[in-house]
Amino acid sequence: MADLICENLSMTFTNPQSGAAVEALKDINFTLKQGELLSILGPSGCGKTTLLNMIAGFLNPTGGLASLGGNVIEGPGVERGMVFQQGALFEWLPVSKNVDFGLRMKSTDAEESAKLVEKWLDIVGLQGFGDTPTYQLSGGMQQRVALARCLVNDPDVILMDEPLGALDALTREKMQSLVLELWKETGKTILLITHSVEEALLLGERLFVMAPRPGRIHKEYNLPFAERGLKESLRDIKQDAHFSEVREEILTMIWDMEEEIMGGA
Amino acid sequence: MLEWLSDNRAYVAAVVIIMLVAMFIGSIVIGRKQTALTAKDEVFGDPERTKGGWYWAVCGVSTLLLIWFYFSWGVGRAYFPQAANEMCQVAKLEEVISPIKAALPLGSRYYKSTLLVGRNDVQLTTLRNDFPANAFSAAEQAELKDLIVQIRSLIANSSNPTLLNQKTKDELVNLSGQIRALGDELRAGSRGLTPTAEALAQPKWGISLTEIPLLPTTSKGVLFDNVSAKAQDLTSFFRKVRNHVPVNERIIADVRERIKVLKATNEAGSFDEKTDVARKAYVKGVERIFRRLDDGNIFPAASLDGLNAAIADLDAAKDEARGSLRFVEAVFFPGQGVVKSRTQCTEQGSARWLPKPTDVVATFIQLANPDLENGGGYKGTTLLWWKWLPIADVVGFFFPDWVADVWPGEYARHSADGTITPNFKDKLLSFAQGEVYLGSIPMFEGHIWDSLFRVLVALGLGILLGVPLGLFMGVSKFFKSFFDPLIELYRPVPPLAWAPLILTIFGITDDGKIFLLFMVAFAIMVISARTGASGTQLTKIRASHSLGATDRQIMWNVIMPNAMPEILTGIRIAIGVCWGTLVAAEILAGTTGIGFIENIARTVSNYELIWVTILIMGILGLIFDLIMRWVIDRTIPWRGKG
Ligand SMILES: Nc1ncnc2c1ncn2[C@@H]1O[C@H](COP(=O)(O)OP(=O)(O)O)[C@@H](O)[C@H]1O
Ligand SMILES: [Mg+2]
C-alpha cells in the first residue's frame, strides 16, 4: 500500500542576510492512505506550498520526514506527480508532446505512448487537440493538459498547488467535476491545496485547515461531499445545509486567524 | 543590352527622372486625396493613423532619389549632356590665365608686387630691430646697417614708375592689348567653328576614366578651347616679363660683393660658438631678402593697371560668351562647377563625392559581372559567383595533419632502387593535406561570399560554443562564477580595438578575421543564452523533475528551448555586430571581401565604388535581419502570447 506518511515534518527558513528564521512548518503529522482525497486550506503564508514542495521532493525538510509507500522522500520522483497553478506547460511543444513528455524522458516506445496520450487526452476532454500549440489554449484547457501530462506517468500521488486558482468561476466548476471524476476513475491519492473554502469542501474527502506561525494543522475534517459529488451536481451540494454549516465554521476559523496575524503584525 | 544601357546611361537617367517626378507629384495628389477622405474619422495622436500610406512611401523614395540625382549632377547630365564639356573648356581658359590673375588684385585682392614689398619691408624692419650688437664689431655694424638701407633702395627703385624701363613698359602694354584681343574674339561668338572628328569620337561624359571629355565637342566649346590655347602663350610671355631697373643693377652688384666679404669673415674668424651662430644667422637673413629682390619681380603699381583692366575685360567677355551655359550651370550643377587640373576636368562639390545613381548601378553591374577577363569582378575576384570546390580542400582544412603524425609506424623512405612505396601513414598524411581527389562540389566564391563566409563561420562557432556555455552559466554556480570574469574582461573592449592585435597574430588570412568575429559572436551568444536559461520559470523545472527528467534531459528539453527567444535575439544582434566588425577588419587587412573593395576604392578616390560597397553592405545587413526576423517568427510563435 502506497501510503503517504508525514512524521514531525518541519521546515525552518533562515534568511541568509539577516539570519532571521521563519518557522514555515512545525511538526506536521498525518497519514494519507492510498486513494484518499485530501484538500488543504489555510490563510496565505501558512506553509501550504512549503508542505507540498517537501512532499514533492523540491525542498528538504529541516526536521522529520515524509515517506511514500515506506520509502523516505529525498527528491522529486515520477511517483509523485505535480500540477501547478499556471500549468507550467512547455509552450514550445504542442499538446501531445507536452502530455508525453514524461514518457519520452524514459524513452517509452513511440506507439505505446501515442496510445496513452490519446487515452488521457480523451479522459480530460481534449480529444483532437493533440497538435494544438499550448499557447493557443484557454486557461482551463491548459490545466487539463497539465493533468493529462501528470496522469500519463501513472503516479501514486498527485500533488496540486491551487490548480484551479486562476480560472473563472464556470470553468472552475467544470474542472472540479473533472478532478472528482479522475479521482474516482484512477483511484489515485490526491493532495490538493486551495484557498477557496467551497473548493476545499467539495474536493476534500479529508480536509486540513492549517494555521500560520508556525505552520501547523489546526483542524481536520472528514467530509462526505466529495463522495456525493461523484453522483450529484456540485451546485446542489453547495445548497446543502450541512455544507453551509461547515463552510461558515471554517470561514470564521480562518477569519479569526487572519485577525490574529493582522493584530500581531 | 547592358552595354547599350551603360553607354547611354544619360538617356536612361532622363527617363527615370521624368518617372520620378511623375511619381512624386502623383503620390502627393493621391496622398492629399486619401488624407481628405479619412480626416473625419481620425483624431490626432491615435496610433491607428500611421497604418497604410504607401503613397507617402512612394513620395519619400522619389524625393530621396530626385535629391540624389540633382546633387550628383545626374539631372544636369541627363538633360544637358554637353554642358560639362563646355564647362571644361571654360575651365581651361580659367586655368590658363590663372597665373596672370594671381599676380593681380582680380585674383588675389592685392598686386603680387604689393605683397612682395610689404613682406620684404616687414622682414627688413625685423632684421634692423633684432640686431645682435655683441656679435659684430662697430665697423661691421655700420656695414650691415648700410646694406639694409641699400636693399631698401632696391625696393623703392623698383616701385618707382619713372624709373620703369621702356622695354618692360612696352611688354606690359603689348600683353594687355593681346588679352583684350582675346576678349574680342570671345565676343565675336562661335559661328562657323566646328568640333574636330577626334573630339566627337571621345567617350561620353562619365563613360571612361577621364570623366569629362577634354576636347571641345560643341562650337562654343571650340571657341573657348581656341582662346585658351592663345591665352597659354600670353601666360608664358607674362611669366618672363621682368622689371630690371638700370640703377638697381649697380646696387645689386655692389651689395652682392659686400655680402660675400661678410661671409668670408664669418668663415675665417675664430669666434666662440654662440657668436659664430649669431653672425652666420644674421648675414644669412640679409642675404635671403636680397636674393628675393635681385630678380626684378616688383613692378610699379601704375604699370600693371592696364593689365588688370584687360583681364577684367576678358572675364566679362567670358561670361558673355558662356551665355545660357551660365544659367544652366547655376541651376543644374550645384557646387563649384568643373575645374581643369593638369590632365583632366573634374566635377567639384557634391557631384564629386556623390556619384550619379546611374553610375552607381553601372559600377555595380560591372562589379557583378563574373567574367573576370572582360573587366568583371574586382582585383581578380568576382563579386559573387560559384566554382567547383574539390572536396579534398575541405577535408584538408578540417582534418588535422597530426592525426597522420601520431599514427603508429614511420613514414615511407625511398628504397635502394630510387622508388617510394607509400604506406598507410603516407596515405593518411596526403588525405589530411587535401591531396587525395574526392570529387568536387559546387561552391560560392567572390568578395561577397568571402565576407559572408567569415561572418557565418564565426557566427556558427560562436553559437556552437557560446550557447552551451551560456546555458550552463545560467544554471550552474561554478560555470557562472568561473567564466563570468573571463568574458566580462574581454567583452567590453570594442571589437575593433582587438583587431590590430589579432590581425597581427594571425596575419591577413581568414583565420584572424574569423577569430575576431568569433570573439564578438561568442560573447553575445553566451550572454543571451545565459539570460534565457536563468529566466526559466521554476515551476517548469520542477514539473520536469516530477515527470522524471534527468538533469541533462532538463537542460536540452526544457532550459534550452525556453531560452530560444533570447538565443535567437542574440543571433540577430551578433550577426549585426559581426557584420559591422568584419567590414572594419577587412578595411584594416585583407585581400578580398566587401570591406577590402571599399578600402581600395577609398585609396583611389573611386566614389562610385565606395557607394556601391556601402549599398551592398546595407542590403546584405537588411537581408540578414529580415531572415532572422522570419526565423524568429517561425520558431518562437508563442512569444508575447504567454
Ligand atoms: N524560500 C523561502 N525562503 C524563506 N521563506 C520562505 C520561503 N518560502 C516560503 N517562505 C515563507 O514560509 C511561509 C510559508 O510560505 P508558503 O508555503 O508559500 O505559504 P502558502 O503557500 O500557504 O501561502 C511564508 O511565511 C513564507 O514567507
Ligand atoms: Mg502557496
Side-chain angles (χ1 to χ4, degrees), chain B residues 455-456 459-460 462-464 467 520-521 524-529 563-579 624-625 627-629 631-632 635:
Chain B
V455 168
L456 294 181
L459 192 71
I463 294 172
L464 229 53
V467 168
V520 174
I524 295 176
M525 291 323 298
V526 167
I527 288 167
S528 47
M564 219 42 168
E566 278 83 4
I567 292 174
L568 288 175
T569 311
I571 294 177
R572 189 173 161 192
I573 296 170
I575 289 185
V577 181
C578 279
W579 191 231
F624 286 152
D625 209 58
I627 291 176
M628 277 318 293
R629 257 194 263 174
V631 168
I632 286 174
T635 45

Side-chain angles (χ1 to χ4, degrees), chain A residues 11-16 22-25 42-53 59 161-162 193 210 213:
Chain A
M11 184 77 202
T12 310
F13 289 110
T14 316
N15 185 321
V22 178
E23 272 197 307
L25 285 175
S44 177
C46 69
K48 306 184 293 288
T49 300
T50 307
L51 175 61
L52 206 71
N53 282 344
L59 290 176
D161 192 352
E162 307 198 9
I193 291 177
M210 288 183 64
R213 303 187 169 192

Side-chain angles (χ1 to χ4, degrees), chain B residues 287-361:
Chain B
E287 190 186 16
R288 196 186 305 132
I289 300 173
F290 168 68
R291 280 272 166 82
R292 221 186 279 140
L293 287 167
D294 69 358
D295 57 1
N297 267 328
I298 295 176
F299 299 85
S303 70
L304 294 171
D305 286 347
L307 192 59
N308 198 36
I311 292 286
D313 178 64
L314 183 63
D315 271 349
K318 190 183 73 188
D319 281 347
E320 276 171 45
R322 275 160 80 207
S324 62
L325 185 61
R326 280 172 78 185
F327 166 77
V328 169
E329 203 181 322
V331 175
F332 292 100
F333 295 85
Q336 291 105 52
V338 168
V339 164
K340 163 86 168 40
S341 67
R342 196 164 298 242
T343 54
Q344 60 178 354
C345 278
T346 50
E347 300 165 358
Q348 298 295 313
S350 55
R352 185 164 169 69
W353 51 264
L354 190 66
K356 295 154 198 62
T358 39
D359 289 359
V360 169
V361 173

Side-chain angles (χ1 to χ4, degrees), chain B residues 214-256:
Chain B
L214 270 180
L215 301 177
T217 56
T218 60
S219 55
K220 193 184 277 181
V222 173
L223 174 65
F224 275 98
D225 191 48
N226 290 345
V227 169
S228 61
K230 289 176 187 159
Q232 180 66 62
D233 297 338
L234 300 185
T235 303
S236 311
F237 179 71
F238 172 76
R239 284 181 201 274
K240 293 194 202 103
V241 177
R242 291 285 183 276
N243 179 19
H244 289 301
V245 184
V247 267
N248 275 359
E249 305 290 323
R250 235 187 36 248
I251 303 174
I252 287 170
D254 176 45
V255 170
R256 189 174 288 143

Side-chain angles (χ1 to χ4, degrees), chain A residues 53 56 58-59 76-78 80-82 84 88-92 101-102 104-106 135 149-150 153, chain B residues 537-550 553-554 557-559 561-562 637-638 641-642:
Chain A
N53 282 344
F58 303 142
L59 290 176
V78 275
R80 282 156 287 133
M82 278 295 288
F84 296 92
L89 300 180
F90 308 123
E91 63 267 38
W92 53 91
F101 185 86
R104 276 189 290 130
M105 295 304 107
K106 352 180 248 212
Y135 60 87
R149 181 177 72 177
C150 168
N153 257 8
Chain B
Q537 279 171 25
L538 185 57
T539 51
K540 269 183 216 158
I541 307 272
R542 287 184 163 171
S544 343
H545 274 295
S546 288
L547 291 169
T550 60
Q553 284 173 326
I554 289 178
N557 291 298
V558 180
I559 294 176
N562 193 76
W638 63 86
K641 291 172 187 158

